[in-house]
Amino acid sequence: MAGASERNRARVRAWAELLRLPALFTVPGDALAGAAALTARPDHRTLLAIGSSLCLYEAGMVLNDWSDRAEDAAERPHRPLPSGRVSPTAAFTAACAFTAAGLALATRAGRPALTVAAPLAATVWSYDLALKHTPAGPFAMAATRGLDVLLGAAATAGRARPALPSAALLATHTLAVTTLSRQETREGTPTAALAALATAGALTWLLQRRPTSGLPTKRRSPVGQPQGHRGKPGPGPKPGPGPGPGSAHPLPAPLTAALAATYAATTARFYLHASLNPSPPLTQQAVGAGIRGTIPFQAALIARSGSTATATATALLTAALAPVARRLARRVSIT
């Protein structure tokens, strides 16, 4: 009995490594950021989008190791597939099952969600089977994160276009991390780490530029003055001490600023170390930091979308996933 129990634990650990379970906590924030971009309250369709995202993400994780099993046999023989702890057939079957489940959940969320989930699944498979080792690889990976944000918007509100700016920001972060990850198993150059560091700085600034919302359009008098009650000239805008809601550069909310700073603190130090010494261990640490930084990044995207109680609660809930992922990453590698 003891031997069987130990074998079961070893099998569970092998699958946990294959699925990279700590990285799974970086997924729910995609759909939540998409919903927040439309100032929509998360509902059961948002949960279906999150479930779809989780399944498609795990399909990509498994398919990634399945397609890289020969390369990993030389560079990472301890991984589940080259070590023989998980068979290639079981891994490929799991990838197919996760993909089918992800598309099924998107279908339950509605046609707009499926319209986004289908190209998302196609991009995941294209990246792992064909694009990963080409110049288009990082861009394909970035596209999957962007599409995942749009999936949350489409499932929750039935439309995705207003979520494009949030999707573009998260895709840019993913592009930098993926480009850096291409040299995590070999001695590289400082270029990718420096680019990731610069990208983190630019994104930290952009996260705090809250989307502007113009003042309501008012009926105007013949002389161009805003009209008040019964066509009488109304009062003009009152001068304020600082930028208002319709100003070009509104001030960031404290929560948004704090979450953006957390993102920078999570990633910048490791990017800097990898740029000074682009060895595989330091590069792997930088990639892991970039993956972990996805969570505060998503939380900042949610917080900047509005100051409602729902947006604040959703941002804090997303941010709370970070320490859970960090603790789990001590037991299971995130890269």
Side-chain angles (χ1 to χ4, degrees), residues 4 8 16 62 95 104 106 115 118 130 157 175 178-179 222 229-230 254 256 307 329:
N8 287 334
V62 177
T115 302
L175 176 64
T178 306
T179 302
H229 183 58
R230 294 185 180 179
T256 305
S307 57

Side-chain angles (χ1 to χ4, degrees), residues 173 197 200 262-272 286 289-290 292-294:
H173 162 71
L197 181 61
T262 302
Y263 160 70
T266 302
T267 58
R269 176 166 59 94
F270 293 95
Y271 291 162
L272 178 60
R292 292 192 303 273
T294 302

Side-chain angles (χ1 to χ4, degrees), residues 10-11 13-15 17-18 77-87:
R11 188 177 298 111
R13 180 174 182 81
W15 278 97
E17 292 178 20
L18 182 63
H78 61 280
R79 293 293 299 163
L81 289 181
S83 66
R85 290 178 292 150
V86 176
S87 72

Side-chain angles (χ1 to χ4, degrees), residues 22-97:
L24 203 59
F25 290 91
T26 70
V27 178
D30 290 350
L32 294 173
L38 281 80
T39 62
R41 184 187 298 271
D43 56 17
H44 72 283
R45 291 170 300 180
T46 315
L47 292 177
L48 288 170
I50 291 174
S52 176
S53 298
L54 290 170
C55 289
L56 295 177
Y57 186 86
E58 290 297 27
M61 289 294 100
V62 177
L63 198 61
N64 175 76
D65 275 28
W66 182 85
S67 63
D68 278 354
R69 60 193 186 279
E71 178 182 329
D72 285 345
E75 297 179 348
R76 300 187 189 185
H78 61 280
R79 293 293 299 163
L81 289 181
S83 66
R85 290 178 292 150
V86 176
S87 72
T89 301
F92 188 80
T93 302
C96 294

Side-chain angles (χ1 to χ4, degrees), residues 201-226:
L203 289 175
T204 299
W205 182 82
L206 288 171
L207 281 172
Q208 300 179 72
R209 315 318 294 173
R210 182 175 173 179
T212 58
S213 56
L215 294 172
T217 302
K218 297 182 179 180
R219 193 161 50 92
R220 304 188 71 83
S221 69
V223 295
Q225 291 178 305

